[in-house]
C-alpha cells in the first residue's frame, strides 16, 4: 500500500474551499424540498420515538426502531423543531460530513486541488445514471448518509496506510446503518494490506451490536409468518431494482 499522506498537495491550505464546494455540489444534487422518499418514514418515526403520543395508533411508527442510533442521537431535535427544519439541519450536517470524508478519500488518491470536486461530481453522475443497483450515497436526512461518511473516512485511512482503526470506523458505520457498514467492512477486510490493530476490535464489536440488536429484536418479537412475508416482499418486490 502506497501512502500519500505526506504528499505536499495533500495538506493544501485550499481544502476548506474544496470541502465547501463539494458540500454545495451535494446540496444542489439532493436539495429538493422535504420530505425525500425515505424522510417520509425517518422523520415522523424520529418524532414518535421521542413523543409516543404522536400518532400512537400508527402501526409503522409504533414498530421497533431498526435504526435505533439515528432516532436516539437525533430525534430529540423534533421536540423543538418542525419536521422540515429537522430535515434541513440533518441534510446539511450529512452533506458536509460526506463532503469532508469524500475530500479526504479523493486526496488520498489524487492529492490536488479541484480533484475532489471533479470526483464527487463524477460519482454523483455514475450513481444517478450509470449503474443498475439503484443505490445512492447523497440524499435526504436518514441514517444511510452518515454511515457512508464513516465508510469513506475508513477507506481514506486504509489508502493512507493506516488500517489500525478500520474496524472502529466500519463499526460506527454499521451502528448507523447495518447494511452499509457491514457490507463495506466485509468488502474491505478481505483486501490485501488490511491489518487492523487488535485493540480496535472491541470498540468495533460494541458499535456493531448497536446496529444489530434493534433489527434482530424486531425480528424475534414478530410473528414468524409475518416476518417471512415481510422478508419475501423486501427481497422480491422492494429490492427488485
Amino acid at each position: 500500500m502506497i501512502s500519500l499522506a505526506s504528499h505536499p498537495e495533500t495538506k493544501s491550505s485550499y481544502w476548506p474551499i474544496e470541502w465547501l464546494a463539494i458540500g454545495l455540489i451535494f446540496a444542489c444534487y439532493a436539495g429538493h424540498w422535504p420530505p425525500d422518499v425515505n424522510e417520509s418514514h425517518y422523520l415522523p418515526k424520529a418524532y414518535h420515538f421521542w413523543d409516543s403520543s404522536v400518532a400512537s395508533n400508527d402501526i409503522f411508527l409504533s414498530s421497533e426502531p431498526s435504526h435505533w442510533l439515528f432516532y436516539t442521537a437525533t430525534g430529540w431535535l423534533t421536540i423543538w423543531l418542525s419536521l422540515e427544519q429537522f430535515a434541513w439541519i440533518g441534510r446539511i450536517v450529512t452533506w458536509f460530513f460526506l463532503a469532508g470524508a469524500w475530500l479526504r478519500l479523493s486526496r488520498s488518491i489524487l492529492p490536488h486541488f479541484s480533484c475532489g470536486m471533479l470526483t464527487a461530481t463524477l460519482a454523483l453522475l455514475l450513481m444517478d445514471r450509470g449503474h443498475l443497483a439503484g443505490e445512492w450515497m447523497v440524499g435526504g436526512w436518514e441514517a444511510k448518509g452518515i454511515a457512508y461518511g464513516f465508510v469513506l473516512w475508513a477507506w481514506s485511512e486504509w489508502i493512507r496506510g493506516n488500517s489500525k482503526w478500520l474496524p472502529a470506523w466500519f463499526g460506527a458505520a454499521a451502528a448507523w446503518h447495518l447494511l452499509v457498514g457491514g457490507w463495506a467492512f466485509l468488502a474491505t477486510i478481505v483486501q490485501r494490506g488490511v491489518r487492523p490493530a487488535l485493540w480496535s476490535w472491541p470498540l468495533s464489536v460494541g458499535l456493531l451490536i448497536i446496529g444489530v440488536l434493534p433489527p434482530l429484536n424486531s425480528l424475534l418479537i414478530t410473528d414468524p409468518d409475518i416476518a417471512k412475508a415481510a422478508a419475501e416482499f423486501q427481497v422480491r418486490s422492494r429490492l427488485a431494482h
Side-chain angles (χ1 to χ4, degrees), residues 16-28:
I17 299 174
E18 195 167 10
W19 170 63
L20 177 61
I22 296 173
L24 293 176
I25 290 171
F26 289 167
C28 290

Side-chain angles (χ1 to χ4, degrees), residues 3-241:
S3 175
L4 298 175
S6 60
H7 193 289
E9 293 277 355
T10 302
K11 298 180 180 180
S12 167
S13 59
Y14 295 111
W15 73 263
I17 299 174
E18 195 167 10
W19 170 63
L20 177 61
I22 296 173
L24 293 176
I25 290 171
F26 289 167
C28 290
Y29 173 77
H32 49 269
W33 201 258
D36 196 289
V37 175
N38 288 339
E39 284 176 341
S40 61
H41 296 80
Y42 270 88
L43 304 188
K45 182 78 172 179
Y47 189 13
H48 177 86
F49 184 86
W50 281 85
D51 185 355
S52 58
S53 66
V54 176
S56 58
N57 295 324
D58 186 272
I59 296 176
F60 169 72
L61 297 183
S62 300
S63 63
E64 291 295 311
S66 296
H67 301 292
W68 179 84
L69 180 58
F70 177 88
Y71 302 125
T72 301
T74 71
W76 56 272
L77 289 170
T78 61
I79 299 175
W80 297 284
L81 302 176
S82 69
L83 294 188
E84 286 185 359
Q85 293 170 333
F86 179 49
W88 282 115
I89 290 175
R91 287 177 176 193
I92 292 171
V93 170
T94 303
W95 293 335
F96 282 93
F97 176 47
L98 280 169
W102 183 271
L103 178 58
R104 183 174 175 81
L105 175 61
S106 179
R107 288 203 172 190
S108 299
I109 304 170
L110 301 169
H112 303 283
F113 178 71
S114 80
C115 286
M117 292 181 285
L118 294 174
T119 56
T121 303
L122 179 60
L124 290 178
L125 177 63
L126 292 175
M127 283 185 288
D128 189 71
R129 300 294 177 180
H131 72 110
L132 299 177
E135 176 64 342
W136 56 266
M137 180 179 68
V138 181
W141 176 218
E142 59 169 284
K144 185 185 292 185
I146 298 295
Y148 270 119
F150 282 114
V151 169
L152 295 176
W153 193 274
W155 284 341
S156 72
E157 288 294 298
W158 170 45
I159 292 172
R160 291 163 184 255
N162 181 18
S163 58
K164 294 180 180 180
W165 283 90
L166 280 187
W169 289 120
F170 286 118
W176 282 92
H177 196 288
L178 180 59
L179 294 181
V180 170
W183 282 115
F185 177 71
L186 291 176
T188 306
I189 201 66
V190 298
Q191 303 297 319
R192 295 177 61 184
V194 179
R195 295 181 177 85
L198 291 177
W199 43 261
S200 69
W201 286 99
L203 177 58
S204 175
V205 171
L207 291 168
L208 184 62
I209 289 175
I210 295 176
V212 169
L213 282 184
L216 180 61
N217 181 61
S218 178
L219 182 63
L220 292 176
I221 66 175
T222 302
D223 181 272
D225 292 334
I226 296 177
K228 180 181 178 181
E232 290 181 353
F233 177 79
Q234 172 78 357
V235 174
R236 296 176 183 272
S237 300
R238 188 168 183 272
L239 299 183
H241 60 295

